[in-house]
Amino acid sequence: MLHIVDDEEVVRDSLSWLAASRAIPARAYGGAQEFLSAIDGKFDPQGDCILLDVRMPDMNGVAVFDLLAGRGLTLRLPVIFLTGHGDVPMAVDTLKRGAFDFFEKPFNDNALMDRVQQGLAGSREAGAMALVHARLATLTTREREVLDLILAGNMNKVVADKLGISMRTVEVHRAHVFDKMQVKTAVELAGLLK
């Protein structure tokens, strides 16, 4: 989902139309507070990206970015700043602090939408990794040991010998690991954790 945050309706409409021309679902917000209330920890599995105006009356774009960065959300919600008031030091500063990109109005439509698509792809990847980490967090210490030995290419008998447990216990732990990680084979598991 492309989130368009700009206080000018004509800009929101234009950017929404531009996103639609690339089959990118978009939602427009007239200000920072409206956006922050709507987003509130909800992520699109297809990825999210934010087109954020720098100058808005309720809260400026840099303050919104700082708030998102403070919550550790800028990988999951890549921010592309838009400004009609070119400020090179501000652009450099926000990029150094993790903004995805910075465009000055008027901008090249294709270049902007290309970056949006790259931001969406990065967001999808970050979301997938967050899901994998959440699944890993559900593993017990012993399941994690079994996982590590499986990924090292060890057979159940070798895992049992290294951990000093029975082969049947390894099989049970292995089944739990596969179930929690939502995979069916060791190859899938390795692919998920590469």
Side-chain angles (χ1 to χ4, degrees):
M1 173 72 63
L2 175 61
H3 302 277
I4 301 164
V5 187
D6 197 299
D7 60 319
E8 293 182 51
E9 185 176 3
V10 67
V11 173
R12 292 192 308 269
D13 290 346
S14 173
L15 291 169
S16 295
W17 178 87
L18 190 57
S21 74
R22 292 268 189 119
I24 299 170
R27 186 171 297 141
Y29 309 89
Q33 293 301 334
E34 181 185 350
F35 164 70
L36 292 169
S37 296
I39 194 75
D40 197 29
K42 300 174 203 124
F43 301 111
D44 186 329
Q46 295 304 309
D48 290 284
C49 186
I50 305 167
L51 291 179
L52 184 58
D53 188 22
V54 171
R55 292 191 181 178
M56 294 181 290
D58 63 338
M59 177 188 286
N60 73 44
V62 176
V64 173
F65 173 77
D66 288 342
L67 195 130
L68 294 172
R71 295 179 184 170
L73 297 176
T74 54
L75 285 179
R76 194 64 202 270
L77 294 166
V79 174
I80 299 173
F81 280 105
L82 301 174
T83 184
H85 313 279
D87 184 346
V88 173
M90 181 196 307
V92 169
D93 180 55
T94 57
L95 291 171
K96 281 182 179 178
R97 292 188 296 126
F100 192 69
D101 213 331
F102 199 99
F103 279 79
E104 188 174 357
K105 299 173 189 174
F107 44 79
N108 177 295
D109 293 351
N110 285 325
L112 178 63
M113 285 299 110
D114 287 347
R115 285 302 279 162
V116 165
Q117 288 180 313
Q118 291 166 359
L120 290 168
S123 174
R124 272 192 303 276
E125 187 175 310
M129 286 310 299
L131 188 57
V132 168
H133 288 293
R135 290 177 189 165
L136 281 170
T138 67
L139 299 178
T140 65
T141 302
R142 181 62 80 176
E143 288 167 349
R144 187 60 196 238
E145 291 170 339
V146 169
L147 167 88
D148 292 341
L149 290 169
I150 290 169
L151 291 176
N154 295 295
M155 303 300 288
N156 286 354
K157 183 174 179 9
V158 175
V159 172
D161 289 343
K162 286 187 177 190
L163 296 178
I165 58 178
S166 74
M167 206 159 94
R168 176 67 187 133
T169 302
V170 171
E171 290 168 358
V172 169
H173 286 308
R174 183 183 181 114
H176 288 162
V177 168
F178 283 19
D179 185 48
K180 289 178 179 181
M181 296 304 294
Q182 299 179 9
V183 297
K184 295 190 185 326
T185 67
V187 172
E188 273 186 81
L189 185 62
L192 189 64
L193 297 173
K194 66 179 177 185

